[in-house]
Amino acid sequence: MSAFAAAESFLAPVLQRESIVKLRGKSVVEIIASSSALDSKSYQSLRSAVVGKAATLLIDIHSSLITSQNAQLTHDILYTSSNRRVIDGLLDLISLEGIYPNLFSGVGVPIERRVKSVLQGRTAVNITGNGNGHDTDQDLLLLIVTQLNSIVMSGGKGLYNALQDRTLVDLIAARSQMAFSPAQNNFSSSHAKALQALLDVIPLSILFPILTSLLHPASPFWLRNPISTNLSLLPLRPNGVGNTIEFIASAVPQNSAQTEQRSAMVLSLDTLNHASRVLSSVPSTMTADSYFAALAPQLLALLDEEDTDLKRAASYIIGNGILGRRIYGAPGHAGWRAFVQPIFDTLSPKLLTTSAPESPQSDITCEVVKTNVNIQQAVSRLAAIILLHPNPGLVKRLMVPLLLPIWSIISNTKASKSEKSVYIKVLSLLYTYLKVSGGVTGLTILSDNLLWDGGQQWKFVLNKSDHIEIHRCSTESFQEIDAASLMETISARVELFINVVSDTASGTDIGLVFLHVLKKWLFGLESKQTPYGIGFHGDEHSFQRLEYAKLTQEMLRRYKDDIAAKPQNLLKVVQQVLDGFIAGSTGSERSQNGLQQPSIASLGYIVGPNSGPDPRTEEEEEALELVSTSLNLLNALFSSSDMEPAPSTVAALRALHGSISNVLSRSSLPRSLLSSASIASSLISAIISSPTPVGASAQTTSPHATALATQATALQNLASPLPPIRAEGLSSLSALIASSSTVLDIPSTTILLLSLLQDDDEYIYLAAIKALEVLSDKHSKTVLRTLMERYIDREEEGGLDVRLRIGEALRAITTALGTSLTAQSATLLGEGLISVAGRRGRRPKAAETRRKGKLTQENQKKEAEKDWDGPVPQNSDDDDEDEVATRIADVLSGWEGQDGEEDVRIRTSALSILGVSIEGNIAAFSSALVSASIDLCIAVLKIETTEEKAILRRSAALLLMSLVRALDKADDQGHRLGFGFAEEGLLEVSEVLGYLRDMERDEIVKGHEREVIEGLANWRAKKLIGTNSIVGRGIELGMNARLRGLDAGLDSGGRARPRIEEIE
């Protein structure tokens, strides 16, 4: 290919080191110009001529590759390292000699962050630019931009990939300058359109890092706003949300435990927070409604993905970032309309004003409003938003309006095999709501609407395929359900409700729900309108009263002990019934307290029919039935439970006993009522006269009992598989810890919180760390001892991730303790951390596990090679990618430790915790521990010199920095530590660090060592001179500093004179 041969000849002098040696001191432009024939008359300068020639050669190669029919030749030019070096040389020459010198100050990527040039020789790059643009060659810049732009617009053909890797960011910077710079008055609008067209064809995975790299502190103000605007609009492109999350996941630093998963996207809580802030920020060029309307389809689609990480990310962004902000997430606002309203419209359709279509040839009067697919999708999205991330406030806002639809779906799908997944999700939603924020209120709403199945014109039904759907029907179609099938429905839903109560309610809540149901049964309904969408012939209220009757009977049977534990409310209800009966039977006016039509007499078969003719009026019969039912409830409760009444309960029982005696004095009462009243009177007399101390149950209302109940509920919630419920349990436990509750056993609580550190949900384990931090503030010795035992893990029972999380907890605790760290705790910490961070730790079980894993991999590799009859072919054609992957694998392997050594990440964690502890309260550490820490750091910096041990050396250098800061802080505060560096020891440490700094290859470690040496020098100077005004490498004495023989201050008073020592 002649074009490529010409380019190879053109760049030969600056691609070969041998040629550069002969022409040392000359620039790249001068070297090329001296060996090439250039037409410099058409250009402003020699540099412009060289760059113009390079651009022409690049375009010629690009055109030849596009039109070439020789696929092998094209592959060799693009992917053979020697040939690719020529292409990269042309691109570097164009960027470094043509683009960068013509960019204004701050435009473009800082040159130190640009990919390293392959050219041998000096270039004319000046990253600060000319600043005013007067001396730049804008014609050359326009030529370059036009030609490179044609390569990008070629649809990924030719030299597109090569340009993308090296020069695309420079092209976008130049285009942006032409479009937005105030100095570019001519054709700026056309350049802006060209820039937008360029950005539109670049993949998002490439565009995100490019645009973010153009935003740095030196960027001019006229460039920041348009670049930021373009960045904010990228999520609205197809698959923009997913690309945004992936970019943020790759950019946010991960902890050492997560680096093992570099091959997969890691979505830590920090990553989710960053993504949430980015995607919930409305661009300045759009309204909130238009932005969220465009963003919602992508986020909601991610909720439907099988990929758990992306689903969690979308759930967090919607729940915390958008719905969690009042300005967007309040009902009726833009975020609510975009993300919540579609779910509401599916599960709870608006009242339909148009009548359902009726076919004259068919009796069918219903149509499908929402299909099974619609309902499944809405339930799945709702479950993802609520269940994947704990947010109690959001749970309540979303679930309260959907409580009855969720209940109806549960009721209809419980026995359906086809809808098992839907049933599990909606049941989890209901349990989460009731446990987190619903409680008694939610259960009472359900008890009032057990038969709810839809609105006035629609309802949930199972179709012939056993799938849940929403049908819209005419009013007449609701009237065909007979009483027999309705009785079966009532029984099934009462049973389901009882199961829900058992799983979600505490004893106190059960009593309150029972009281609500009992009142509804005894005193009737408050409305004559049936609240549920089931119609039938006859009296609707009779069937709903039947529902309450069956519910009362079943709750009394299942929860009699819980109801008997606090019977005061039940006694008040029965007292109210008896008082009404007594007043009605003695006066001319019969009390109608709570009695409504239809008559309870129609339910006589529930309590038991009276035999023979009934001469009484309907009102009298109704009152007698009510009293009989109330007394039967009391008898069932008292006879089946062991009551230990409190003083207030005894007073209520005495009053009730008097009322029952009054009832017994009445004449012509039915035999069944007399029998019930007599039994109740006898049971109450026995309870009142019982020798059991009347204050025995008073403790149930004491703070201790309340704390016990809270602890029991918290432990039950912590065992839940649903993250929001576990979060609620942890919150309750943390509240007990903060209040120093006496019900907590500190060792057991510490172990429980340690177990929560293994939780898969990052929100849970981070909250557990905070709880441990609060617990350690009150019981630091016990907590630190338990944590250190698990952290050292001599029996090798815990994995790497668990130990690193315990390390996080230790670091948080020692940071919070600060100066409160005692000498005993400091000794425990210091000895344990030094033993972990040293080289003597051995992990034979871990070594054996790694050995078996490597052996398995080798066997698999041998089998694969046997199947392929040779080496297994690699999928990647990029040698650089393979080299990077191999290097990362070597580093990860080196972290694991050789020959049973302790993992490098744990050793690094131990040094980090030790540094925080010493800096927080160095006075708590003995001189032996401090000296051992210094020796350990010096040994690490001397011996652990391999590349994979760089993180360990960084941590060691940071520990020395923490020590210097701690010594300086102690001197500033006037604390006498009882130990310090001797002059020789201080010089030795500085000299050793100086030598190690010169030998160090890791720039970060080298920088830390330099800061430690400077800090030691400053601290030494302050010790000698006695001033705290040390700035950098110099000494500022200040007006009040005093040296022996010289009064440098205006005030002769002040502090004691400093110590004077001879120095050479």
Side-chain angles (χ1 to χ4, degrees), residues 357-365:
E358 298 185 10
S359 172
Q361 293 132 4
S362 174
D363 294 333
I364 298 177
T365 58

Side-chain angles (χ1 to χ4, degrees), residues 719-732:
S720 171
L722 303 175
I725 296 178
R726 293 202 304 276
E728 179 67 18
L730 185 53
S731 176
S732 301

Side-chain angles (χ1 to χ4, degrees), residues 217-276:
S219 301
F221 71 93
W222 50 263
L223 181 64
R224 292 183 186 178
N225 186 54
I227 294 297
S228 300
T229 300
N230 275 288
L231 265 174
S232 64
L233 295 175
L234 293 184
L236 301 183
R237 290 193 186 184
N239 199 31
V241 171
N243 278 279
T244 302
I245 296 171
E246 290 176 6
F247 171 69
I248 293 174
S250 65
V252 174
Q254 310 295 340
N255 60 42
S256 55
Q258 292 166 333
T259 51
E260 294 179 282
Q261 306 169 0
R262 287 284 184 186
S263 58
M265 182 172 59
V266 178
L267 296 180
S268 65
L269 195 58
D270 285 341
T271 300
L272 296 180
N273 280 324
H274 278 82
S276 177

Side-chain angles (χ1 to χ4, degrees), residues 57 148 171 289 358 472 480 557 698 829 907 947 1039:
L57 290 171
L148 295 182
L171 171 61
D289 283 292
E358 298 185 10
R472 181 178 64 169
E480 301 302 325
R557 184 181 68 82
L829 275 173
R907 295 176 64 193
E947 183 181 14
M1039 295 301 293

Side-chain angles (χ1 to χ4, degrees), residues 26 91 221 316 326 368 419 445 558 577 659 714 732 754 809 831 921 923 967 986:
K26 290 188 176 182
L91 291 170
F221 71 93
Y316 191 86
R326 185 183 298 273
V368 177
E419 299 288 5
I445 292 174
R558 293 278 293 271
V577 172
S659 298
S732 301
L754 274 173
E831 292 176 351
N921 189 12
L967 292 172
L986 179 62

